[in-house]
Amino acid sequence: MTEPTVVVAAALQESGRLLAARRSAPPELAGRWELPGGKVEPGEDPERALVRELREELGIGAELVERVPGEWPLKPGYVLRVWTARRLSGRPRPLEDHDELRWLGPDEIWSVDWLDQDVPAVRAVLAALAPR
Ligand code: CDP
């Protein structure tokens, strides 16, 4: 059995807001919102892959804080893993794959149409971010 391809995504947080990105492609996903990220390349470290994706897709430098517990199935052969992350440099812009970015406050998290597979991931992010 071949290992699934890992898709990595970031929960970027700032002033209590979470960054959501609206996909512009492919057509069946366009208009839906996701945690920004992308595929890990063969042989690539997943955490490095996520930092690379954030640079390519949003034009920011970022560091990962911690892995959000869990793993979510995407299409067959793909799984989603999520890290909380902090922006170090740059202002996020939708450079690739997205046509809008939004910082969602606590009351706005469910105001966007998340990709189905991102819904459980976002729930896990909120649980991980909740004050302990
Ligand atoms: O940028 P790259 O081509 O590496 O990957 P992508 O096209 O952004 O994402 C790969 C797959 O993961 C796509 O099918 C996305 O829909 C999916 N994905 C997702 O379901 N949720 C995310 N938060 C990020 C990606």
Side-chain angles (χ1 to χ4, degrees):
M1 221 178 84
T2 53
E3 292 293 313
T5 297
V6 176
V7 174
V8 289
L12 275 159
Q13 252 202 305
E14 224 162 285
S15 310
R17 292 171 181 264
L18 175 69
L19 189 68
R22 191 172 68 183
R23 289 196 70 101
S24 51
E28 63 274 18
L29 302 180
R32 309 286 300 276
W33 293 75
E34 67 178 12
L35 298 171
K39 294 192 238 4
V40 178
E41 303 290 344
E44 190 181 28
D45 172 73
E47 300 197 11
R48 279 177 184 273
L50 183 49
V51 171
R52 172 182 58 71
E53 289 284 350
L54 295 174
R55 191 174 56 241
E56 291 173 357
E57 291 192 352
L58 306 176
I60 61 167
E63 66 178 2
L64 307 187
V65 178
E66 60 184 4
R67 170 93 185 267
V68 175
E71 185 173 90
W72 299 275
L74 304 176
K75 56 195 171 188
Y78 290 79
V79 295
L80 177 66
R81 294 183 190 161
V82 177
W83 278 257
T84 52
R86 208 175 359 240
R87 185 177 64 93
L88 296 177
S89 62
R91 210 174 84 86
R93 287 161 295 149
L95 299 178
E96 246 182 33
D97 297 340
H98 302 118
D99 60 5
E100 192 181 335
L101 302 178
R102 211 176 274 177
W103 289 102
L104 301 173
D107 302 339
E108 299 167 321
I109 299 289
W110 303 110
S111 68
V112 300
D113 187 17
W114 294 100
L115 289 173
D116 293 341
Q117 56 266 28
D118 278 47
V119 169
V122 171
R123 278 192 221 290
V125 166
L126 296 180
L129 295 177
R132 274 167 269 188

